[in-house]
Structure formats: C-alpha cells, structure tokens
Amino acid sequence: MSRARVTVRLTVNGRAYVREVEPRYLLADFLRHELGLTGTHIGCEHGVCGACTVLIDGKTGRSCLQFAAALDGASITTVEGIAGEGPLHPVQEAFHEAHALQCGYCTPGFLMTTIEFLAANPDPTRDQIRQALTNNMCRCTGYLNIIEAVEDAARRLRAQEGGA
Amino acid sequence: MREIEDFTLIGKTILRREDSYLLRGKAQFLDDLPEPRGLIHLAFVLSPHASAEILAIDTAAARALPGVIDVLTGEDLAADVPPYAPVIELAGYRGVARPVVARGRVRHVGEYVAVILAESPYAAQDALDLVGVEYEPLPAVATIADGLAPGAPVVHEALGDNVIFRTRFATEGFEARFAAGEVVLEEEFSLGRVTGVMIEPRGCMAWPDPIATGITLWTSTQIPHIVRTAIAEHLGMAEANLRVVTPAVGGGFGTKCHLYPDEILVVALARRYGRAVKWVQDRREDLLTNVHAREHVLRLRVAVGRDGVIAAADLDVRTNCGAYPNHPFSPTLEATAAVRMMPGPYRIRAYRYEAASVLTHTAPTGAYRGTGQPSAFLAIEGMMDRIGRRLGLDPAEVRRRNVVRPEDFPYVNVVGVRYDTGSYLPSLERGLEMIGYDAFRRAQPADRLVDGRYRGIGICNYTEVSGTGAPGWRVRGFARMPGFDSSRVVVEPDGRVAVYVSQADAGQGHFTTFAQIAADRLGVAWEDVTVIEGDTAKTPYGTGTFASRGSVVGGGSVIRGSAKVGEKIRRIAGYMLGCEPSRLALGGGRVFDRDDPGRGLTLREVAETAYSMNNLPLPQGEEHGLEATDYYDPPMVTMANGTHVVEVAVDPDDGRVEILRYAVVHDCGRVINPKIVAGQVHGATVQGIGEALMEEIVYDGGGQHLNASLLDYLIPTAMDAPDLALGHIETPSIDTVAGIKGAAEGGLTGAVPAIANAVGDALAGLGVSITRVPLRPSTIVGLIAAARAARAGAA
Ligand code: FES
Ligand code: FES
C-alpha cells in the first residue's frame, strides 16, 4: 500500500500532460479525475462492459484495467478527442441519426470500438459488426440501432475517403 | 382532450437533442459532477454471510489509515439514522423495517455492515480490508421452498414465519365455473432471479448548501420527488430543506426507482459532518445489493372447454422477497402485478388467485422492467400452447378463441381493470402474418427436426400496464405513490418556452419528446422549447419515470399545461388585438386570427404584455406572467398491447437456442416520436431475450451469491440481439390525454414467454416441457436428456 508517487507522461487527445500519481492509479481514474475528461465511463471495473474503452496508441483498450503509470509515454484518445469542439465525427453523426443511444452511458465506449473497427474494416457485414460490438455492452438500445449506425458510419467514411 | 386532431410535431421522428452532449462525452452522470471541496468519499463493508450475528466490529486499524476520516457501524448511526420501511396499506402485508447499516444481525450477503469515510476513493477502498468483523454464522434460507419449509430459519423473528405478504381473490361461484370445464390442465412455471444491470451503477452525493440550512442530494434515481419526501420524513428534515437532483442517469429499468440505504446515509452524514458526502457503487455491489427481480413460481390451473375456451383459471403465485421489503413498493409489487395481470388479453371471467411473498436471506427484490407481467404471461401463454397440444388445436387458434375481441371494448377484466381500447386480435393476426405462421406450420415436420436442429415457433400476446394513476396504486396498497405527474409550462419574456416536468429521464429522451409536445401544442419551434426535469427545486411534484408512465402521464401533463398557457395567450392577445380569443390560433411562433392569419402577434409581443415590459394593459382580472402548472392524474391504468412471434432452432447437442426470425407487433396508442418508441421496443425485447435465455442471479442453498460479476451474470451482447421485424399498430386510448399509452415494458413482457414457447414447440416432439427460464444451454441439454431417459424407461 505504498503511497509513493511516480511521474506519468501521457499525450491525451493531442495534449501532453505530466502528473504525479500512485503507481496503482487506473488510467480511467487518471483521465476522469486528474484530467477531468469524464466522458470515459466506468461500468464494471473488471474489463467486461467496455464503457471505459479508449484508444491507446490507436488501439482500443480498457482504461479500467490499465495503470496510468504503466502507459508512460503513450498517446490516448478519449471520446472528447473524437471531434473536439468541431462538427461531429461521421461515426457520431451516424449514431445520432440511427438513434443508437438512449442513456448514452455506454456510448463513448461504442464510439471508440467503432472507430477502430471501421478503420480496419471499411465495408463490414452485419455479422462482422455484431462480432466487433461484443467488445461493449449496452442495456438500453438492444444493439439494433447501434448496428445500423455502424453500417451507416461505414458508408459515410467510405464516401469521405472516396471524396477526398 | 383526446380528440385533438391537429398535431404538427407529435407523431414525427425528431432526432434527440440530448445526443449532442452524450456523443461528445459531455454529459454529467453522477460520478462526472464537479466535486465540492472537502468531499467525503464513502465505501461500505459488506456482509459476506447470508445470515449471521455480528459479534464485534474492530475499526481501529481502518481508522488509523491516513486519509480515513471515520469508520461508522450501525451502532454509531443508531441515534440519527433509524431503519426504514415502505408505507403499504394492504390486507395481508406485514411490514418489517430495513436498517440503513446493519445492527447486530445481517440477513443477506452484501448487507451494509460498516461505512468508511475517507478523503479519497482509494483510501476508502484500502480501509475496507482493515475493518475486522466477527460473525457468528446462522442457518439461512435462500429459496421460496426453503423459506416456507416447516421449521425453516425465520428471517425476521418478529413475524414468526417467512410469509411477509399473502393475498387471495376469487370471483363469485368460482368453484362451479371451474367444475363446468371439460378438461383441466395444470402446470407450474418459474422464472429465475434477474436484475436491471444499468451500465451506470448507482451513486449519490449529498452537498450541504453553503449559504442556507438545506442539503442537495444528487442521486442516480428515477424518482426524485419520492426520494425527497421519504428521506426528509425519515431524517426529520423540513422537506423544503432537501433538494433532490438527478444528473444524467445511465439507465434505470426499475432498479433505480427505489430508495436505497446509501441515499439516506449520504444525507445524514452530510448533515452530521457539514461536508459533502459521495458514494459511487461498483458493479459487484450492484449485483449483490441493488434490488433483484422475479424468482417467481406460478402454479396455474385452467378448466377448458373442448373448443379450447378457458372456463376458469386458478393461479397460485409465490415470489421471493429477499431479506427486506424494498422501498417504496414492498414485495407486494411483483406479487400483485403477476396475479392482476395474468388474465391479460384473454376473456377469463372466472378467476381465483392466491399470492404470497416469502422472506429469504437474499438481496431484496423489487421493480424491474415488466414487473410481474413476464411471469404472468409465461404462465398464461405457456398454458395456451398446452391447451392446443392437449386438444389438438393450433396454438394460434386457441388464442383467437380466447382473446378479448374488437367488439368487446371497452372491456373490464375480471379483477376490475378497464381496457379502454386495444388491438389484441389484429395484433395477433399481424404477428402471425409477419412470420408466415401458416406456411411454417404446414412445413414443420412432425419431429420438428430440420438440419439437425429442432425448430419451433412461440407466440405471446401481451397487455402492458402503463401510466398508472393514483387509483391504480391505491387499489394495490401503495399509500405513498402519488400516481400523478405534473408540469409547469412557461412562456418566458423572450417568447420562448420552458417546460418543467416532475419526471426524471434515464435515457428515454424526455428532453426531446416533451419539447416536441409543447412545441406542437403552443405552435412554437421545437428548438425554442427547453425541458427541465429531475430537480425537486425546479419542478412541481410528481411520481417519476418508471412503469411505462413517462409519455402517458408526463406527456399528458405537458399537453394539458400547454393548453392552459395557450388559453392565457389567447386571452391576452385577443385583448391586444381587439378580437374574441376563440378566433385565435397558435402557430409559427405567433398567435393569429384563424380567418385572417395576417392579423396577429408574436408570442414575444404577448409575453411582453404579460410580463409588463410595455405600456399595454392586461385584460380585466388577468394576472401577470405567462405560465400554467398542471397536475395530471391519469386513469387507474392504461393498457397497451402487442404480440411477439419468434422462430427458434434448438441444437440438441449443445443446447443452444438460436433465434431465427422475430416479429414484434406493438400498439402503444398515440405515438409521440416513432424512432424513440422503436428504441424502447428493441431495448426491452433484447432484455427479454436475456431473461429468457441467459440471465440469472444464482445463490447457493445457504444464501451465498455466486455470480456478482458481469463475467458470470450474462447479459445480451450484440451477438445475442437478432434482427427484429417491427409491426406497428396505433389504437389511441380513449381515456388518456391525446390517446397516449406506454411503451417501455411490452418488449420484455412479450419476449420471455414467446421464446419459452418457441423452445417448447421445438422440443414438444421429444416430450420436453418448458416451464422455467432462463433456458441456458446446460438446462436444455439436461431437459432433453431427461426426456429421452423417461421415454427409454417407458419403452
Ligand atoms: S469499466 Fe472497464 S470494461 Fe467495464
Ligand atoms: S444507451 Fe444506455 S447503456 Fe447503452
């Protein structure tokens, strides 16, 4: 139960932060309570629900299972970093139009999973989408509108690619 | 007011405004709120025993830990935090109180034994391990059967036995009517124990007001006004000195419509310490201590004519209450719901029931989406299939012969519940048609086997109690359930509109739909309406958001409130324009002469007069301001309805059930926002799939909770959510404002019986009888093996 603190350097949503934290301090707590980025939610703290999903060096990870100190030097993207203050990201837009969120507590995690998934699978089948979404739990929507949203987001991103 | 015909926005899909902050991670859920200075963080020591005497609690080591402010036991709190109990006025109910923190005795695993107060959540967690509690374990009961067994350990000695509630009912001449039936069928159905599993667990924070004597309680609840009244009364505070606010709430499903001990405690401690006090639940605590639901056993006996028509029904329901009555409903909630709802869409005129709730050494049970209805329909819909099999009738035909028919409306059912309108038969026919029922039956092989898997179809017709008003709560003994909800509709000086509603959103989209309603009724732009709710200081009193009441009661009140303000707008505008108010209409942000639309005023111009911002006088006798408050107490209940038809394939080798096709027909009367309604149907149906196929809280015989993690308590993922074909029928209520009926629970209520029946149909040829959910693969493999063994034995 050592109270010694360690220095952690993390780049979060493009900004560099240096903080002194306990070695056992979770990444989720670091983001939420040290940096005030409370969009990353905690639903289970045991790695199952996916509400805490963030991108760690571009890959999805459970921020409830990782120590901030162990990620020294990493680059993190949270829901706040997807669109910043600008217009919604195509994945966010697709979620909005498909009514893919109700309480919205699970949503930041789903957005992260979807962004990573569509980057690797620009034209997925519904089955592939279902597979990818098992990373995250939602108790409100019954998933169907989330699946729609991911299909629609894929179309939007492809159109954007094509147009660029 | 149901005859309104000129809707402009009601009935249209409008995309939700709350998405804009939720999608950016900017919503403020309980644990996202800015933390006040000097905040005290709580953590609870939980009982590891189902039943034990607390011999001693040693808090010294925990207290000595840096960052720990205090450690309190039930004894330390006895003086100012007494046990609490729901107020139930119903014959057959014997109340017992629940301690906020246990004193001397624990009665279920997870019961609060001590509370840590610390400067940080990490310090509080560290301290938990340092509290030494000495227990003397005592015998425990976990199941209904064990709780009822002669000589069973008694959960609350004062009651003498474990039956906390018992009620009976019979129609006149029941015995004779039953005896007149030609065939008698009997079956016992049961449902496992489940729970809400909102992705946001609960949490609360009490914050003493720095300049007044009051306390603000932020809590993740569905019922802020009920929570305020109960806590203020319990702690002897003036109600005006407690303000209850709900931040964004990450799902409720009924689990969050109870008053929990921690909510009382944070207020009591904030008062004692003069500091803000916060507690955030973790998932293990959620699964151990939040109310569970179901764990019902229903024995249904029916007497039937050879034509399949039910002559009489006799239902015996037992529910597992857990160790304490939940607040505010008590265990009478599920018991009375199950017996009162069982007749459902069917013309059952001779009925007898008995219901009992049994105390056990398990977590308290309470409200959860569907409340009693999934159980009731598992029984009656399961019976419909059995009648068909016994009499050689198609199960759909049995339902046709029993259902309340279109010409029967308005219909009063056998326990006195009025069904004003409904589409029971059309809904059934539509569901059958959507799934291609007749073709399926023609093609279904006698042994049901297709490509190595057994195929079957299950049907569930359901009625859905919604929008319960005061009479509906009173008749079931809920003395402290207001029944009404309210709104205050204000045209502000700038001509824009604010709507304050007594409810509390937990994801249903109230900020969008209530704005839609007010904009529709006042003829203003949707963007110009702001909705405020979930705050007892800002909104008028009301019941809250649960039991499918948001749209019926909250929505109804906003319509009525808007109409009242509309009248005042017309009176003032008529005076300003020098014309009869009755000539005036509202639209486009203006009030204008129906016959001469160019002649009119903007709402802002009217508001300026109402708020004395110009030199124009008000009509004689008119008060300033431009607002109205409405308290809407709807009818006893409003019945929505629908039909689920589902086709499954059951793999006999691994016991897995695959849902192949799923049709849902739903009728919730007047729809406000179709996309939001569809979302409710999807979400509830998939929760029902979870309850039917995978979810169950498991206790061992000694009351030890065996699956308090999401690895072990399975809820559906995207892989478990089949595509749903939605059929929509709209039969407006003739009793409620604008004909609205509720929509949140039918999906779950329909799914559980439909899936059970589909599996039952698939396995009927094997002699398997499906009587219990969840139907997990291991259960199905076991049932098939047992049926085969029985056949082999008989052969
Ligand atoms: S909170 Fe991290 S997976 Fe649930
Ligand atoms: S929207 Fe509520 S949990 Fe997903």
Side-chain angles (χ1 to χ4, degrees):
Chain A
M1 225 176 287
S2 149
R3 293 303 165 97
R5 291 180 168 242
V6 293
T7 303
V8 182
R9 291 170 211 81
L10 286 177
T11 302
V12 181
N13 301 333
R15 264 184 70 182
Y17 296 90
V18 184
R19 290 286 194 281
E20 306 276 314
V21 296
E22 284 184 51
R24 61 172 178 169
Y25 208 55
L26 294 172
L27 176 60
D29 289 334
F30 184 91
L31 296 168
R32 293 173 46 75
H33 299 303
E34 279 293 318
L35 307 186
L37 297 171
T38 54
T40 299
H41 297 144
I42 295 193
C44 70
E45 266 184 309
H46 51 250
V48 185
C49 76
C52 66
T53 305
V54 296
L55 297 180
I56 305 171
D57 293 325
K59 291 239 157 288
T60 51
R62 307 278 208 229
S63 62
C64 74
L65 293 182
Q66 315 233 17
F67 297 119
L71 295 167
D72 192 32
S75 175
I76 312 287
T77 306
T78 70
V79 64
E80 291 91 344
I82 298 178
E85 296 302 317
L88 291 178
H89 183 279
V91 173
Q92 290 168 313
E93 263 174 22
F95 270 62
H96 176 54
E97 286 185 20
H99 183 34
L101 57 153
Q102 291 182 26
C103 78
Y105 194 80
C106 68
T107 308
F110 274 96
L111 294 174
M112 292 304 171
T113 297
T114 304
I115 286 170
E116 179 193 51
F117 171 65
L118 292 182
N121 304 273
D123 193 5
T125 64
R126 270 175 94 82
D127 266 353
Q128 288 170 325
I129 294 172
R130 278 195 164 88
Q131 292 270 4
L133 294 180
T134 55
N135 202 39
N136 298 74
M137 286 175 169
C138 173
R139 193 62 156 165
C140 298
T141 63
Y143 301 102
L144 299 176
N145 288 346
I146 300 181
I147 296 166
E148 299 278 320
V150 176
E151 283 184 313
D152 181 43
R155 276 191 296 274
R156 286 167 193 260
L157 289 167
R158 288 199 306 273
Q160 212 175 54
E161 274 301 284
Chain B
M1 212 176 298
R2 60 185 179 269
E3 66 280 3
I4 302 168
E5 290 301 344
D6 57 344
F7 295 114
T8 54
L9 292 173
I10 291 176
K12 296 212 162 60
T13 285
I14 295 183
L15 297 177
R16 301 195 327 161
R17 57 175 57 161
E18 35 280 80
D19 294 3
S20 62
Y21 50 87
L22 290 165
L23 284 166
R24 291 177 189 272
K26 291 197 166 160
Q28 303 252 291
F29 294 92
L30 189 276
D31 195 28
D32 304 339
L33 295 167
E35 294 187 341
R37 234 184 262 283
L39 178 64
I40 298 174
H41 296 266
L42 300 188
F44 289 99
V45 177
L46 307 182
S47 169
H49 296 287
S51 175
E53 196 177 328
I54 300 172
L55 299 177
I57 303 180
D58 180 359
T59 60
R63 276 169 200 278
L65 195 73
V68 171
I69 299 161
D70 213 339
V71 181
L72 303 174
T73 65
E75 301 300 330
D76 300 325
L77 294 162
D80 54 349
V81 196
Y84 72 115
V87 184
I88 303 296
E89 291 167 4
L90 189 59
Y93 178 69
R94 305 185 294 162
V96 288
R98 173 182 188 176
V100 170
V101 174
R103 278 180 81 193
R105 278 279 271 129
V106 287
R107 294 187 175 86
H108 68 92
V109 169
E111 185 165 359
Y112 297 162
V113 172
V115 57
I116 314 280
L117 290 70
E119 304 287 354
S120 79
Y122 280 73
Q125 289 295 321
D126 289 342
L128 283 181
D129 297 335
L130 301 177
V131 177
V133 187
E134 210 184 310
Y135 296 96
E136 174 70 36
L138 297 168
V141 288
T143 63
I144 294 170
D146 287 352
L148 291 174
V154 174
V155 179
H156 291 273
E157 288 79 5
L159 296 184
D161 62 45
N162 290 321
V163 180
I164 189 170
F165 172 60
R166 192 188 293 278
T167 186
R168 291 188 182 89
F169 166 89
T171 49
E172 242 184 78
F174 172 81
E175 291 294 347
R177 297 279 296 273
F178 197 95
E182 293 162 300
V183 182
V184 174
L185 292 90
E186 179 168 354
E187 189 69 89
E188 186 171 286
F189 299 89
S190 59
L191 299 91
R193 180 183 280 236
V194 298
T195 187
V197 194
M198 317 69 59
I199 302 299
E200 181 206 29
R202 292 189 311 103
C204 47
M205 176 164 75
W207 191 346
D209 188 323
I211 52 170
T213 52
I215 291 177
T216 298
L217 170 67
W218 295 82
T219 181
S220 186
T221 189
Q222 301 169 241
I223 48 169
H225 291 280
I226 289 175
V227 164
R228 182 178 74 135
T229 297
I231 295 181
E233 186 174 27
H234 194 69
L235 296 179
M237 297 172 70
E239 201 151 334
N241 287 345
L242 182 63
R243 172 183 174 196
V244 177
V245 187
T246 60
V249 173
F253 315 118
T255 309
K256 289 182 183 170
C257 73
H258 299 86
L259 174 67
Y260 287 95
D262 37 84
E263 292 173 300
I264 299 172
L265 192 63
V266 293
V267 175
L269 294 178
R271 186 169 67 170
R272 197 191 267 199
Y273 288 80
R275 291 169 69 174
V277 178
K278 174 177 173 180
W279 171 74
V280 178
Q281 184 173 56
D282 69 25
R283 183 58 64 188
R284 183 169 160 269
E285 292 168 323
D286 160 45
L287 292 166
L288 286 177
T289 67
N290 281 343
V291 294
H292 299 160
R294 318 292 194 252
E295 197 172 352
H296 299 166
V297 179
L298 305 94
R299 175 159 286 280
L300 176 61
R301 245 171 18 109
V302 293
V304 187
R306 298 233 166 260
D307 56 359
V309 173
I310 295 177
D314 186 2
L315 178 66
D316 180 273
V317 174
R318 286 165 190 194
T319 74
N320 190 330
C321 159
Y324 299 102
N326 73 72
H327 191 292
F329 302 107
S330 87
T332 67
L333 177 79
E334 291 247 288
T336 58
V339 291
R340 287 174 63 82
M341 299 319 141
M342 194 285 289
Y346 300 113
R347 275 182 303 183
I348 294 171
R349 301 309 312 174
Y351 184 33
R352 178 169 73 185
Y353 68 66
E354 174 165 339
S357 301
V358 181
L359 287 155
T360 62
H361 293 104
T362 60
T365 59
Y368 171 52
R369 207 170 201 171
T371 331
Q373 298 173 106
S375 318
F377 293 112
L378 181 71
I380 187 65
E381 290 293 324
M383 192 53 81
M384 288 288 158
D385 282 12
R386 283 163 175 77
I387 294 169
R389 284 197 284 270
R390 169 76 77 87
L391 300 178
L393 292 169
D394 185 283
E397 183 56 28
V398 178
R399 288 168 170 84
R400 275 188 200 105
R401 293 182 185 183
N402 281 285
V403 83
V404 176
R405 307 185 71 86
E407 61 272 21
D408 298 335
F409 291 99
Y411 172 86
V412 178
N413 84 0
V414 67
V415 295
V417 177
R418 175 177 152 96
Y419 305 174
D420 63 343
T421 62
S423 57
Y424 306 169
L425 193 56
S427 166
L428 170 64
E429 300 297 358
R430 178 86 169 274
L432 297 173
E433 184 189 306
M434 284 167 68
I435 211 97
Y437 184 79
D438 293 337
F440 175 87
R441 282 286 179 230
R442 277 196 300 275
Q444 189 180 33
D447 64 0
R448 316 293 210 232
L449 207 51
V450 178
D451 297 334
R453 294 192 299 175
Y454 292 96
R455 297 275 187 99
I457 279 192
I459 304 169
C460 175
N461 285 323
Y462 67 85
T463 46
E464 173 182 6
V465 166
S466 73
T468 306
W473 295 113
R474 287 308 109 70
V475 76
R476 292 166 62 191
F478 301 106
R480 292 299 172 81
M481 199 50 64
F484 67 84
D485 269 288
S486 63
S487 65
R488 189 160 72 90
V489 181
V490 184
V491 179
E492 301 282 6
D494 66 3
R496 284 186 270 218
V497 176
V499 181
Y500 299 83
V501 189
S502 60
Q503 300 215 326
D505 182 88
Q508 297 89 343
H510 288 181
F511 298 97
T512 298
T513 49
F514 290 156
Q516 200 170 338
I517 292 172
D520 181 303
R521 296 292 81 206
L522 290 170
V524 300
W526 175 74
E527 293 78 4
D528 287 342
V529 181
T530 300
V531 175
I532 297 107
E533 60 167 34
D535 185 339
T536 61
K538 291 182 178 170
T539 72
Y541 202 88
T543 307
T545 308
F546 59 94
S548 301
R549 55 184 292 113
S551 59
V552 181
V553 200
S557 178
V558 175
I559 290 177
R560 292 174 17 138
S562 301
K564 290 180 187 173
V565 186
E567 286 308 308
K568 187 164 183 180
I569 293 170
R570 285 192 187 87
R571 288 196 304 271
I572 297 175
Y575 188 71
M576 292 169 74
L577 293 167
C579 78
E580 269 304 307
S582 60
R583 294 174 60 89
L584 298 175
L586 296 166
R590 295 172 68 244
V591 50
F592 54 88
D593 189 331
R594 245 178 258 281
D595 302 321
D596 178 9
R599 180 174 179 228
L601 297 162
T602 63
L603 284 202
R604 186 183 178 120
E605 287 168 327
V606 178
E608 282 173 355
T609 302
Y611 289 99
S612 189
M613 296 166 72
N614 54 27
N615 289 323
L616 301 175
L618 285 173
Q620 192 81 45
E622 194 74 73
E623 288 179 8
H624 282 105
L626 200 48
E627 64 173 78
T629 300
D630 178 77
Y631 290 85
Y632 176 41
D633 187 20
M636 175 189 270
V637 300
T638 299
M639 272 310 172
N641 72 278
T643 302
H644 286 215
V645 190
V646 54
E647 180 187 349
V648 302
V650 183
D651 188 322
D653 298 326
D654 64 11
R656 281 184 7 150
V657 175
E658 187 190 349
I659 294 173
L660 300 175
R661 291 182 306 145
Y662 203 126
V664 179
V665 181
H666 70 100
D667 184 346
C668 58
R670 169 96 50 216
V671 168
I672 300 164
N673 185 320
K675 208 156 195 166
I676 286 180
V677 168
Q680 288 292 324
V681 175
H682 292 169
T685 302
V686 172
Q687 266 177 318
I689 291 170
E691 184 165 343
L693 295 178
M694 60 189 80
E695 295 182 33
E696 184 168 17
I697 296 271
V698 183
Y699 284 97
D700 72 11
Q704 192 52 245
H705 189 306
L706 300 180
N707 59 345
S709 93
L710 288 183
L711 286 169
D712 303 307
Y713 183 90
L714 301 181
I715 66 170
T717 70
M719 292 293 282
D720 305 304
D723 288 340
L724 301 175
L726 251 54
H728 177 66
I729 297 179
E730 193 160 327
T731 312
S733 164
I734 55 170
D735 289 351
T736 66
V737 172
I740 301 167
K741 302 175 183 177
E745 295 171 283
L748 198 159
T749 299
V752 173
I755 293 168
N757 283 345
V759 174
D761 183 44
L763 300 181
L766 294 177
V768 169
S769 171
I770 299 296
T771 58
R772 185 180 192 279
V773 292
L775 292 162
R776 304 178 84 159
S778 54
T779 309
I780 288 181
V781 168
L783 288 171
I784 292 175
R788 282 183 176 147
R791 291 220 162 155

